[in-house]
Amino acid sequence: VSDQVLLTTTVGSFGKPDYLQKARNANARGKLGESELNELERKATEEWVRRQERLDIDILVDGEMYRGDMVAYFAERLDGFRIGGLVRSYGNRYYHKPIIASKVSRPRPMTVDWFRYTQSLTDRPVKGMLTGPYTMLDWSYNEAYKTRRDAALALAEVVRQEAEDLQAAGARYIQIDEPAIHARPEEIEIAIEAMGVVTQNLDAKTVSHICYGDFAAIYPKVLELPVDQLDLAMANYGYRWLELFNKDPFTKELAIGIVDVHSHETESVATAAEGIRKGLRHVSKERLLPHPDCGLKTRTVEESEEKCRVVVEATKVVRKELARQASPA
Amino acid sequence: MKTTVTGAYPKISDEHQDLRRALHRHDRGELDASGLSGVLDESTRWAIGELDWAGLDVINDGQVRWDDLLAPFARAWTGCDRGPLERFYDNNTYYRQPVITGPITTEGTTLVRDFEFARGVARGQLKAAVCGPLTFATLAEDRHYRSLEDRTLAVADAIAAEIRGLGAAGATLVDVEEPALVAHPEHFALARAAIERLAAAGVPLALQTYFFPADSLLDALAAFPVAQVGVDVRSRDTKALERLNALRQTVVLGIVDARNTRVETEGELVKLIETALKQVPGDYLWLAPTTGLEYLPHDVAVRKLKALVAAAHATGGVKA
């Protein structure tokens, strides 16, 4: 992997197969046991590892077959959280918004077994996937801590423990997602401070995914977020964030979103390749990683696969161009 | 002092999930539009019943039919389509972005049928609500108007038409929900010009600001042609509570945090009310949650309303 340029990856989640969706529903209704569900989650995870290998993605993920919501998954496993009643996010979509009810602590690792299992299935690197402390705070109700900073730093401590356990288990890439980082731009210092707690002892490559908001409001300050790589949705925004890099050059590795994940249709390979070329104007080929804009959990398995296929093919087109430029015939 | 609410009420509870089920059935083609409309009416009846039962003096219809603050208008108006989902300010709640494709026009009857239905159900005084023009204009994608000013004033004309329609249907007070005003205080002069167009419709208005501090705008707000100004004193660090005397209108004080599950103690609320009463006479002070209670699970929303009403009674608020 290391001598390749434009390494391809994904943001973390994939569509769940029908049999798993049905099993999750049955489990929620008490009609399917945990161990039976777990078997199916492992099966779906292995299928996704094989698909990613077949698609020729360079840096893999476990696909989050065992997760629903990216904050609730952790809230359900941390002491101090209570799961509240239903709250609407949009339309007819409701979720159980977590409540930080008392001081937060981590009784045991939450994702390490899944990382170990997934990594055991492949020689390619698998990313450890966590939700960042600021997003955990922002997407929960805070009843326990006096200030939002206090809560973010307490959450940072438990995310740090999990990240260090992932590293000890062999993770070479650890992604700590902060999609809520621009919810309150005036609080970016808190998000930066909290991320510093998480990554302070890590040697693994650290990544943070940011999406769905006004990136301009936190740029260039967000370059101070202590991670090696920022992972940004770009296709959905018409690559407008790249214009910010003209004034304040981008200084990290950039995982660049080149296919929109919210539409059923996927861009053409040519359009996606053009997205990579746009990124190359600002970030070198060694530091640019093409991927879909965001997690693919709202898409079907087939749609998820198609979007990944376009990312990889577009990348191969641009790699060939770069190779031709390097050694003209 | 009167008690009231702003914005949307939770559409479902653990026990009352009729609407959620009906929308699923509608999506699967198992329930037609009129069947769904019947369930929406029943859910509105349920929400109004809960608001009445909580002992509030002035209620709204719970906005059960509103997907988001902009949706009823974006759906009804000519010149407006509906675009992608976007995050609604600093909430993990989303709205469908209106896309303005041509001149906005409306007959001004968008909200009339629902207002008349709600009035037939509500026992107490009922107020109506509209989206603030600056909020709509700043959250929409504009492919037609040339500037924020043109867009905001065009939206204001359409909202003024809706307010005229509500007035003709008997509305005596209309909330204008305008978080953009405090999110973007730099646009206050434009917001004021827009609100002047709304006021010309001749129905008393309550300008509801929330999510962000109103501190820098209190003096400017005093000159807005509205009967009431809503101020959120819980969402951010703010000293607005000590400066309420800058306002000349009735103050709708958002004292119960509608975005946090921790239920305020009576002592805590009484202290806030007593501070406000040093600035504003009781006749000019209304008490409310900071914003729509739909940001909370239903069980917590109910407890928040109880806390609000109890604190109002404890400080001498008398039920009208």
Side-chain angles (χ1 to χ4, degrees):
Chain A
V1 166
S2 55
D3 56 350
Q4 185 64 275
V5 299
L6 298 174
L7 295 179
T8 53
T9 187
T10 61
V11 176
S13 64
F14 290 127
K16 294 184 176 74
D18 280 349
Y19 67 80
L20 180 58
Q21 205 54 62
K22 282 186 186 125
R24 286 171 63 85
N25 294 343
N27 176 261
R29 289 194 309 268
K31 288 179 179 159
L32 184 79
E34 290 299 327
S35 64
E36 288 88 347
L37 177 63
N38 185 261
E39 267 316 299
L40 296 174
E41 288 166 346
R42 287 166 70 94
K43 174 170 151 37
T45 303
E46 176 160 16
E47 287 167 5
W48 263 117
V49 168
R50 298 296 161 244
R51 266 187 218 107
Q52 291 174 88
E53 287 178 335
R54 218 165 41 235
L55 287 159
D56 202 15
I57 294 172
D58 299 305
I59 304 166
L60 309 196
V61 295
D62 67 20
E64 302 180 10
M65 295 296 108
Y66 53 94
R67 292 188 205 179
D69 179 87
M70 62 182 285
V71 171
Y73 177 80
F74 293 98
E76 285 163 7
R77 284 158 181 81
L78 289 167
D79 286 346
F81 272 93
R82 190 170 79 232
I83 301 304
L86 287 168
V87 183
R88 201 168 64 98
S89 63
Y90 180 73
N92 203 25
R93 264 184 275 161
Y94 290 81
Y95 70 112
H96 290 278
K97 185 167 173 176
I99 299 166
I100 308 170
S102 58
K103 299 279 183 268
V104 172
S105 63
R106 186 189 72 143
R108 62 190 68 82
M110 303 175 281
T111 63
V112 176
D113 286 347
W114 279 109
F115 169 76
R116 276 209 187 90
Y117 169 66
T118 312
Q119 187 66 81
S120 76
L121 299 170
T122 180
D123 294 332
R124 300 186 184 214
V126 174
K127 289 195 274 192
M129 305 296 294
L130 302 173
T131 301
Y134 186 79
T135 297
M136 295 267 288
L137 160 69
D138 197 68
W139 291 0
S140 304
Y141 299 110
N142 170 27
E143 296 191 10
Y145 294 91
K146 202 157 179 237
T147 66
R148 285 167 63 88
R149 178 173 172 269
D150 290 350
L153 293 179
L155 288 161
E157 180 53 27
V158 295
V159 180
R160 179 189 68 77
Q161 293 166 13
E162 186 72 14
E164 290 178 7
D165 284 349
L166 282 168
Q167 176 168 282
R172 284 176 277 163
Y173 293 83
I174 298 176
Q175 184 168 319
I176 306 122
D177 291 340
E178 288 288 19
I181 195 167
H182 28 34
R184 297 185 178 194
E186 74 275 16
E187 288 185 346
I188 182 113
E189 296 278 6
I190 296 175
I192 291 169
E193 185 182 4
M195 187 63 85
V197 172
V198 176
T199 58
Q200 58 186 332
N201 302 322
L202 296 180
D203 303 315
K205 178 95 68 182
T206 51
V207 184
S208 188
H209 171 66
I210 293 173
C211 65
Y212 251 143
D214 186 5
F215 185 73
I218 56 166
Y219 195 82
K221 184 75 187 171
V222 70
L223 293 173
E224 293 173 29
L225 195 72
V227 292
D228 303 311
Q229 185 184 112
L230 287 183
D231 177 311
L232 304 175
M234 286 280 182
N236 179 43
Y237 293 98
Y239 297 88
R240 75 173 90 130
W241 308 135
L242 288 175
E243 288 162 28
L244 300 169
F245 305 168
N246 291 329
K247 180 160 173 279
D248 297 287
F250 193 77
T251 53
K252 295 181 185 294
E253 292 186 7
L254 174 64
I256 184 170
I258 58 168
V259 294
D260 184 6
V261 301
H262 300 297
S263 61
H264 294 286
E265 294 84 39
T266 301
E267 291 84 344
S268 67
V269 170
T271 305
E274 193 48 39
I276 300 174
R277 292 184 201 107
K278 286 181 180 136
L280 282 170
R281 288 179 208 144
H282 300 275
V283 180
S284 71
K285 58 186 186 292
E286 291 79 15
R287 291 164 66 81
L288 189 71
L289 296 88
H291 69 69
D293 264 353
C294 194
L296 290 160
K297 69 177 180 185
T298 60
R299 302 272 69 92
T300 63
V301 171
E302 294 71 25
E303 286 168 349
S304 303
E305 199 170 348
E306 173 62 8
K307 290 188 188 278
C308 293
R309 187 189 65 76
V310 169
V311 167
V312 174
E313 288 196 12
T315 302
K316 289 183 174 172
V317 167
V318 180
R319 277 182 193 153
K320 266 190 199 154
E321 291 168 7
L322 292 170
R324 272 200 302 274
Q325 285 164 19
S327 54
Chain B
M1 283 186 299
K2 288 187 178 184
T3 51
T4 191
V5 283
T6 308
Y9 189 71
K11 296 179 191 352
I12 63 166
S13 71
D14 285 345
E15 299 77 31
H16 176 94
Q17 302 231 359
D18 298 2
L19 180 58
R20 194 182 185 196
R21 280 192 289 267
L23 284 164
H24 279 307
R25 289 178 57 214
H26 181 68
D27 283 347
R28 289 197 300 263
E30 297 164 15
L31 184 72
D32 64 13
S34 80
L36 179 61
S37 189
V39 178
L40 283 162
D41 278 348
E42 274 317 301
S43 292
T44 301
R45 206 183 284 277
W46 168 80
I48 289 174
E50 295 223 334
L51 292 167
D52 267 334
W53 179 80
L56 297 161
D57 300 306
V58 180
I59 66 166
N60 64 12
D61 70 354
Q63 300 179 352
V64 171
R65 286 175 176 267
W66 297 26
D67 269 350
D68 55 64
L69 179 61
L70 299 82
F73 310 98
R75 272 183 214 279
W77 291 348
T78 306
C80 223
D81 285 340
R82 306 187 68 214
L85 292 179
E86 290 286 345
R87 200 192 306 272
F88 192 60
Y89 295 100
D90 55 342
N91 302 287
N92 191 18
T93 301
Y94 296 78
Y95 69 97
R96 204 165 274 291
Q97 187 179 37
V99 180
I100 300 171
T101 53
I104 290 175
T105 57
T106 173
E107 289 173 15
T109 54
T110 301
L111 302 170
V112 169
R113 183 264 165 206
D114 294 346
F115 180 75
E116 287 173 343
F117 175 82
R119 206 182 33 190
V121 176
R123 288 199 281 174
Q125 191 186 333
L126 179 78
K127 62 179 176 178
V130 293
C131 178
L134 186 67
T135 299
F136 193 100
T138 49
L139 297 182
E141 184 195 332
D142 188 357
R143 297 182 189 161
H144 175 73
Y145 296 102
R146 293 216 186 116
S147 65
L148 175 65
E149 184 174 357
D150 289 353
R151 176 163 80 244
T152 304
L153 295 176
V155 169
D157 288 339
I159 291 176
E162 305 295 358
I163 293 173
R164 267 184 216 103
L166 287 164
T172 53
L173 180 63
V174 179
D175 276 347
V176 179
E177 295 192 39
E178 192 71 298
L181 177 55
V182 274
H184 305 287
E186 68 276 16
H187 296 317
F188 85 89
L190 175 58
R192 183 176 156 182
I195 299 292
E196 279 166 1
R197 296 190 182 200
L198 271 51
V203 183
L205 304 177
L207 181 64
Q208 305 290 358
T209 70
Y210 47 72
F211 299 154
F212 301 92
D215 299 46
S216 67
L217 283 175
L218 289 172
D219 295 310
L221 282 167
F224 276 57
V226 295
Q228 307 188 345
V229 174
V231 180
D232 172 352
V233 294
R234 301 297 305 279
S235 284
R236 291 286 205 288
D237 284 336
T238 166
K239 295 226 161 21
L241 190 60
E242 285 102 53
R243 291 211 45 237
L244 294 175
N245 61 351
L247 295 169
R248 292 285 164 270
Q249 304 92 337
T250 290
V251 176
V252 183
L253 196 64
I255 54 167
V256 171
D257 189 348
R259 297 196 295 167
N260 196 323
T261 45
R262 191 182 69 78
V263 179
E264 290 81 356
T265 63
E266 188 172 305
E268 186 180 352
L269 294 177
V270 164
K271 216 170 129 191
L272 290 173
I273 297 167
E274 285 174 348
T275 306
L277 283 170
K278 287 180 191 149
Q279 309 284 320
V280 181
D283 287 347
Y284 289 88
L285 185 65
W286 288 27
L287 305 172
T290 49
T291 180
L293 288 163
E294 209 194 353
Y295 297 104
L296 292 170
H298 172 265
D299 60 324
V300 181
V302 169
R303 287 160 58 210
K304 291 269 179 174
L305 284 180
K306 275 190 190 153
L308 175 71
V309 172
H313 288 175
T315 44
V318 181
K319 188 158 166 45

